[in-house]
Amino acid sequence: MTRALKLAHEAFLDGEVPVGAVVVKGQKIVGEGRNRREKSKNALAHAEIEAINEACKTLHGWRLFECDIYVTLEPCPMCAGAIINARINNVFFGAYDEKNGAAGSVINLFELKGAYKPQYMGGIKKQESQEMLSKFFKTLR
């Protein structure tokens, strides 16, 4: 989660919503990402999507069933869907997203009947994640 927070900070400094993500296999980071939607002008440029994409390239396959993902914000529906489709084992996230969270805050895609069900836990380094998000949105107002 420490690396994910550093990536979120990089996004913050770049004027992006501060979200960072890393995919880990064992003790090794195999993919990482941060939000880049504003700079790339691409709705798909979420931290989790970048991290999953890089992990698939690193591991030469789309099945990440031996991997975990650490992300500073609860995944949105698009990212939760990507996590499910990549067969990631465990999802650890920091801040809860009361507007778009798809791991229990608004909807829980990780509990869909018939779908692959990763294990998940929120609140990991929640305060650090939430403070960075709050600071970012205060600067916009």
Side-chain angles (χ1 to χ4, degrees):
M1 189 61 88
T2 301
R3 179 63 183 149
L5 283 163
K6 287 180 182 177
L7 290 163
H9 185 69
E10 288 177 19
F12 177 87
L13 294 175
D14 204 21
E16 299 280 353
V17 175
V19 179
V22 294
V23 175
V24 177
K25 182 176 181 182
Q27 297 297 315
K28 183 180 178 194
I29 293 175
V30 293
E32 57 182 40
R34 64 180 184 84
N35 271 1
R36 296 178 200 268
R37 290 186 305 171
E38 298 302 326
K39 296 283 181 182
S40 69
K41 306 292 186 228
N42 186 338
L44 303 176
H46 285 212
E48 298 95 323
I49 301 299
E50 277 196 357
I52 290 168
N53 187 46
E54 187 173 290
C56 290
K57 289 178 181 178
T58 299
L59 298 173
H60 307 289
W62 63 269
R63 292 177 186 88
L64 303 178
F65 58 86
E66 296 177 336
C67 298
D68 301 326
I69 190 166
Y70 294 80
V71 60
T72 58
L73 181 64
E74 179 180 1
C76 72
M78 175 179 71
C79 294
I83 289 165
I84 291 166
N85 281 296
R87 311 294 195 265
I88 292 175
N89 277 346
N90 297 293
V91 180
F92 302 100
F93 65 90
Y96 290 85
D97 186 347
E98 301 298 327
K99 293 181 181 179
N100 296 303
S105 289
V106 177
I107 190 171
N108 195 337
L109 295 183
F110 298 146
E111 297 293 332
L112 285 177
K113 183 179 179 182
Y116 176 81
K117 293 175 179 58
Q119 299 297 306
Y120 59 96
M121 178 186 296
I124 312 295
K125 296 201 176 197
K126 177 183 174 183
Q127 184 174 342
E128 295 97 317
S129 299
Q130 189 60 55
E131 285 175 1
M132 197 177 325
L133 287 160
S134 294
K135 185 177 176 183
F136 176 81
F137 286 112
K138 276 185 185 177
T139 62
L140 291 181
R141 293 181 194 131

